[in-house]
Amino acid sequence: MSNLGRRKFILYSSAALGSSILLKACGTPPETTEETTTEEGSTPAAEGGDTIKVGILHSLSGTMAISETTVVEAEKLAIKEINAMGGVNGKQIEAIVEDGASDWDVFKEKAEKLIDQDGVAVVFGCWTSASRKAVKDVFESKDHILFYPLQYEGQECSKNIFYTGAAPNQQIEPAVDWLLENKGTDFFLVGSDYVFPRTANTIIKAQLDAKGGTTVGEDYLPLGNTEVTPIIAKIQAALPDGGVIFNSLNGDSNVAFFKQIADAGLTPDKYPVMSVSIAEEEVRQIGPEYLKGHYASWNYFQTVETPENEKWVADFKAEYGEDRVTNDPMEAAYMMVYLWKQAVEQAGDAYDLEGVRNAAIGQEFAAPEGLVTMNANHHLSKTVRIGEVREDGLFDIVWSTDGPIAPQAWNQYVEATKGYACDWSDPAKGEKYEI
Amino acid sequence: MTENILEIKDLTVSFDGFKALNNLTFSMRPGELRVIIGPNGAGKTTFLDVITGKVKPTIGKVVFKGKTISGLSEHTVSRMGIGRKFQTPRVYLNLTVRENLDLACNQNKNVFSTLFSKAKSTEKNQTVSLLETIGLTEKADIQASWLAHGEKQRLEIGMLVAQSPDLLLVDEPVAGLTDEETENVGNLLLALAESHSLIVIEHDMEFVRQIARQVTVLHQGSVLCEGSMNEVQNDPRVIEVYLGEAPTVTPEQMNLIRLAASMAWADGSFAPEQKAVILTRLSEQFTNDSQHQEQLKEELANYLGSNVPLDQLTAGLTTPEEKEMALRLSYEVIRSNGVNELENIVYQQLLDLLALPAETVQAIAAEIDAQYSQSHQD
Amino acid sequence: MNVVLSRRDKEKKSRTRLFIEAGVIVALMILTMVVLPLVLEDFRLKLVGRFLAMAIVALGIDLIWGYTGLLSLGHGIFFALGGYAFAMYLNLQLPEGEMPEFFMLYGVEKLPIFWEPFRSLPFTLIAMVVIPGIIAGILGYLVFRNRIKGVYFSIITQAALLVFFNFFNGQQKLINGTNGLKTDSSFFFGQRVGEPSTQLIFYEITIVCVLLVYLLCRWLTSGRFGRLLIAIRDDETRVRFTGYDPTWFKVVVFAISGAIAGISGALYTVQSGIITPNFMEVSFSIEMVIAVAVGGRGTLSGAILGTILVNAVRTYLSESFPEIWLFFQGALFLIVVTVLPDGIVGWVKDVLLVQIRRLTGRDHPLTYPAIAEDPVIQSEKEQLTKDEV
């Protein structure tokens, strides 16, 4: 039945029944997702044309705008480069930008709009886990594709999402190991009160238990809150002779936090802070003088020495200004456009979503951070690095893994997901299977 | 004797130590129309506030129809039968005249009966007859915001009546009205007084004279005096506090004016010549500055009320000089338009009261007679 | 006799007006319920459905602000409570023994106790109206009893909003914090909520609810009760001295307004597929108020029209100018509020209709409405014309 025809049918039947619309609905057998998919899938294919439409969905207004606009710039730069090189399969990429307005509800609405209305072939988008989770339903029910550039808490493996940031085992876990080896065994965990820090700290606690470390304290600050004095007091009480502070605070809270630990005399030699949400941009905003000597764990720093990175940093500055810096989320956003391009070229048709998804697995790309490979669990193999903040606000890379580390979507330290993995290349395994 | 409708005893209201009402005692019989006057800050509005429940008394209580009402909220007091009209007309501007009255007519004013019950026919009839009473039948379906000021005043009074209160409190009903509107409102109040007890606060003395029967004067939160309009208006204490800021004349001078006025009124008419004489003489007497004299004349004109018993006035004269002065002035006043029988009687009374030596009296009379004959010759 | 005649005229006029209103309503119902689903794409239709759901809360805001004069900047609370109530029910439509997935992220093993009753649909349907209503009632009682009004009332509603926002935003383990609750993949009577066919049903239900709430508000505002609300707005002291206790009237209206917002929130949530604490942010509540202002406060049609218009323009602007749409939106609000202080419907009533009547010659060319409607002047005019004849 055609789209219109089916709707007409429902309409007439419900209109005829008048007030018992609801009852009628109960009577109709539930329609399968596949039926919808084929319909939705058919629309964009018909629109093919000379360009390939892609969606860019980030917050351009609201509290997240300051971070997310940098990611949009990186994505636009990649698209510009690809178009300059002749596009994808000879077609130019046309980016349709939508504003998620830091509002998860709006993210959802705009995702639907990009897919249904604009008929995009892929969406590059989201920053917060909340926004990703909000649109996850949309991409799954419409069986579409989202590329997501942020490191995150893991515990998710959607058929329709490709995660190009770090999984916890590519950022948090190596950082904890490095700290245990080099900085001490007593940890105090600080984080903003939302899903990423909560999950990250659950993992860290399990890891410390397993490896002989101690969690001496754990505290959370509501998102955006800058009342950090009580937390500092708790740290001083719990770690009178120094120890490690593991920080997953977000946004403004960091500014207050680092200023106050400096004021309280918690210096990096006795109280090293390892942050997992602070990159070059944030260092610039907080002020390098407060952060000098503290650490961050990422896959990419602007100071990574690869030819690809040298070129990218130069290109980025040429495009957006000499004073700009690059960072991990921007790099992930930049390269995911290339990963998608390669997948489309292998699949042959950008609107063959199923084909593109299958082709994406196994794609390799020489990214600024080094070689990355898309695994069957839709996450990337990535090199892990630890950097120490320098006076100029960039990082000295003090440690790095020998090569790319394979991603784990389901965490192996957390009891509920221990022993599980994800594999979209094998229909029998899929989202979550027991190893 | 019937019970007083309103009974207030030793009532004090203080705001942060400032006593807006101070030991006030007041009572009123049913059916009375009482006007309350007093200078600014005398506590008139607080007086209404405390009766209607807007302000709670610090000490004392208000008893209405034998029930204590102080401490109750405004709407409860209102439902018990006290209506209040504010100084500026307060009607619902976005409702029509009829709707304004209908809200007031509603017999059961709780939320749910207002929501679920329809207007009863008695209420509808009441609205119609009220529209007639306040003379707004023609404009019943016009938004109140389009009414003229005086019409709004009448509408608000109508709304009060619609509540069928036993006691109406009216705060300066004619402030800012034209003469014609003032008369309308005055007549309306007098008509209302036939079936309601009324307390009116007013500044406009002309208007007070038009409607007043009993007047209470408030000053600094207490009752200064009570009585008929004439009694009150000639009470020097009242004049002192009521007419204003610091009077430029002394109490002694005031007494002289009163006396002179009484003489002038002796024959029941206050001739313009008499008035002119009093004003000129006194202003000349009180000051030498000619410009000040003019000002003084205006001020003094205010003080020329009506009759006050002579003995009250003469009691205020102590020294022989003052007495001579009073005599001189009085004689001059009655002399100014020719002495008649009545004036002569009053003059004799005055002489008795002053008890001045006979030669002094004759000397003064001769002196003034001489002046008059001289001016006649000129 | 003159008067009697004019009254009969008036009755006739008001009956005609009623017929016109009923006609317009039926036409709009047919348009939205039958025509739009046939013409619009799924995505657009869903947007219309969400705008209509917002129109319901706008009616509630108009009731408390437009009619009663109390500017509530906290309606996001009641809206979100309705949304959360329904979302909790939908999230619990799981096989026996299972819990909503997000609890796993925080290691929560037992369903928080307050979720339990939301397994029941009847309870949920009642709760999504009654809970916001009761909370509005309590808040209103505390505020109105102390005779707080004007800008202080607005500030208190904002403070309350902040309290609720912080609670819902901060309680990861109870209500999924900032992530909010999603509904699309839940099942409602065996139907997947996100499915277009299910969405169409919710769309139609929304329209019916708009109509019902409109009729409710119309009934509330047309009789003595409604006039009393206007009276409270115009002069609360007078109301008090007339023997009414405004406190209870305001509490009741605020509670009704809150309950209406709850319905709106539930219908919105099920169509947007997610409810988050964002709806308890200050900006959302203010936007709702602005929508009413744009349409014309104190008119029910204005509230509906304004909301649909503002949201449509907002969607259009943000789609066309994603980077700078906020400036356009701000400018638009400023223009409408300064140029059309009575909103669009107010402008149509006061200016446009008068102009049209003048152009079509159906208006008696008069200058000042007070004079035009003054019966004395009209009777004089009649006299004069008679004399001329």
Side-chain angles (χ1 to χ4, degrees), chain A residues 173-235:
Chain A
E173 292 172 24
V176 171
D177 285 337
W178 182 81
L179 288 166
L180 282 171
E181 236 166 79
N182 299 291
K183 295 290 169 186
T185 54
D186 290 346
F187 279 58
F188 194 100
L189 314 180
V190 187
S192 294
D193 198 1
Y194 72 103
V195 60
F196 172 67
R198 288 251 176 211
T199 322
N201 289 341
T202 311
I203 294 168
I204 294 169
K205 281 186 284 182
Q207 193 180 352
L208 289 175
D209 274 351
K211 301 206 164 168
T214 330
T215 311
V216 297
E218 181 182 2
D219 209 352
Y220 296 91
L221 219 54
L223 266 176
N225 195 318
T226 51
E227 254 329 298
V228 296
T229 321
I231 290 190
I232 308 248
K234 281 181 200 168
I235 292 174

Side-chain angles (χ1 to χ4, degrees), chain B residues 52 54 73-75 78-79 84-86 90-95 98-99 102-104 106 109-112 114-116 118-119 123 138-139 141-142 146 156 159-160 163, chain C residues 3 7 10 147 219-220 223-228 230-246 248-249 252 256 368-370 373-376 379:
Chain B
T52 51
K54 196 176 176 199
S73 61
E74 294 99 315
H75 67 272
S78 162
R79 286 182 197 177
R84 176 172 180 180
K85 153 114 193 47
F86 290 90
R90 299 184 81 157
V91 296
Y92 312 124
L93 296 176
N94 286 302
L95 298 178
R98 190 191 304 278
E99 289 168 343
D102 173 70
L103 279 183
N106 186 1
K109 288 175 175 161
N110 66 45
V111 179
F112 291 100
T114 305
L115 185 51
F116 294 107
K118 290 215 150 190
E123 291 167 5
E138 292 279 277
K139 303 189 173 180
D141 295 303
I142 285 183
W146 294 345
E156 191 180 6
M159 287 163 71
L160 291 196
Q163 292 167 238
Chain C
V3 179
R7 189 173 299 160
K10 204 157 271 166
R147 304 202 179 170
W219 174 66
L220 284 174
R224 245 183 198 168
F225 185 81
R227 291 198 290 274
L228 195 85
I230 294 174
I232 290 174
R233 183 187 72 191
D234 284 358
D235 194 336
E236 187 175 337
T237 312
R238 176 78 270 161
V239 171
R240 242 176 242 288
F241 284 103
T242 310
Y244 295 96
D245 185 358
W248 284 106
F249 282 88
V252 166
I256 293 175
Y368 184 51
E373 304 233 348
D374 192 325
V376 176
S379 66

Side-chain angles (χ1 to χ4, degrees), chain A residues 347-370:
Chain A
D349 178 6
Y351 292 101
D352 172 13
L353 303 179
E354 181 88 45
V356 173
R357 275 197 306 268
N358 290 334
I361 295 173
Q363 290 300 333
E364 288 186 352
F365 181 67
E369 71 180 65

Side-chain angles (χ1 to χ4, degrees), chain A residues 151-156 166-177 180 187 189 195-215 218 220 246 248 276 408-418, chain C residues 104-107:
Chain A
Q151 42 71 246
Y152 80 116
E153 68 280 355
Q155 310 295 60
E156 184 178 303
N169 77 313
Q170 294 168 309
Q171 182 192 27
I172 295 166
E173 292 172 24
V176 171
D177 285 337
L180 282 171
F187 279 58
L189 314 180
V195 60
F196 172 67
R198 288 251 176 211
T199 322
N201 289 341
T202 311
I203 294 168
I204 294 169
K205 281 186 284 182
Q207 193 180 352
L208 289 175
D209 274 351
K211 301 206 164 168
T214 330
T215 311
E218 181 182 2
Y220 296 91
F246 203 100
S248 46
V276 286
Q408 292 169 352
W410 303 107
N411 195 271
Q412 297 307 304
Y413 285 106
V414 175
E415 206 52 51
T417 53
K418 197 172 179 175
Chain C
M104 184 200 80
L105 287 173
Y106 316 110

Side-chain angles (χ1 to χ4, degrees), chain A residues 94-165:
Chain A
E94 183 191 342
I96 297 169
V97 182
E98 285 293 343
D99 179 12
S102 307
D103 188 339
W104 325 148
D105 168 49
V106 178
F107 266 96
K108 202 165 169 299
E109 174 194 324
K110 298 300 184 191
E112 285 173 7
K113 185 248 173 191
L114 284 170
I115 295 169
D116 287 352
Q117 202 67 25
D118 301 319
V120 296
V122 65
V123 175
F124 304 107
C126 300
W127 177 293
T128 62
S129 284
S131 63
R132 186 193 67 249
K133 286 196 184 289
V135 299
K136 185 169 166 257
D137 278 355
V138 177
F139 285 92
E140 287 178 352
S141 70
K142 298 185 188 300
D143 203 22
H144 216 273
I145 307 176
L146 169 72
F147 274 80
Y148 173 69
L150 258 284
Q151 42 71 246
Y152 80 116
E153 68 280 355
Q155 310 295 60
E156 184 178 303
C157 190
S158 171
K159 178 187 168 199
N160 303 92
I161 302 178
F162 290 93
Y163 309 81
T164 64

